[in-house]
Amino acid sequence: MAVYQVRLVNPAIALDRTISVPEEEYIIDIAEAAGLKLPSGCKQGECSACVAKLVSGKVDQSEQKFLQSSEIAAGYIVTCVSYPRSDCTIYTHQEQVLYQASLYKSK
């Protein structure tokens, strides 16, 4: 089984930590096991609490039910049901950023 290096970053809270995540484990579960407190809600991929932005690398988030295809194309992921598929860099705590993005503004 492959194990990937997942870098979790958020300058606003002085977070910059790399964790080793097996390919069949959810990113948020391993982060919590490593002592990181990341936002979470349903833990089923149905809400926006754990939204993050994938800066580099690949994940499998095929189990998620919240994000629209345009949001996925913009790099958003839900960490509660995301499996790493390569080494990754992820900006955490992006729920408010998602909602403030032009994707949700009135035109």
Side-chain angles (χ1 to χ4, degrees):
M1 170 176 23
V3 176
Y4 298 107
Q5 299 306 301
V6 177
R7 181 178 176 211
L8 302 169
V9 179
N10 188 312
I13 59 169
L15 173 64
D16 189 345
R17 182 142 169 221
T18 301
I19 57 174
S20 297
V21 183
E23 66 183 346
E24 295 306 320
E25 297 284 340
Y26 295 131
I27 292 168
I28 200 165
D29 290 343
I30 300 303
E32 288 175 351
L36 296 171
K37 296 253 184 203
L38 298 180
S40 67
C42 69
K43 291 208 173 179
Q44 297 177 4
E46 296 179 358
C47 77
S48 61
C50 69
V51 166
K53 188 147 188 190
L54 185 65
V55 178
S56 66
K58 296 179 184 178
V59 299
D60 172 357
Q61 63 173 335
S62 59
E63 297 174 22
Q64 76 86 24
K65 299 171 186 88
F66 175 78
L67 295 170
Q68 299 173 21
S69 58
S70 59
E71 295 161 341
I72 294 168
Y76 290 99
I77 65 170
V78 286
T79 59
C80 69
V81 292
S82 288
Y83 302 101
R85 292 297 179 247
S86 72
D87 292 342
C88 304
T89 298
I90 297 170
Y91 282 170
T92 65
H93 299 76
Q94 296 297 298
E95 180 180 37
Q96 291 304 313
V97 175
L98 174 68
Y99 287 121
Q100 291 171 2
S102 62
L103 300 172
Y104 285 93
K105 288 186 179 177
S106 300
K107 299 201 180 197

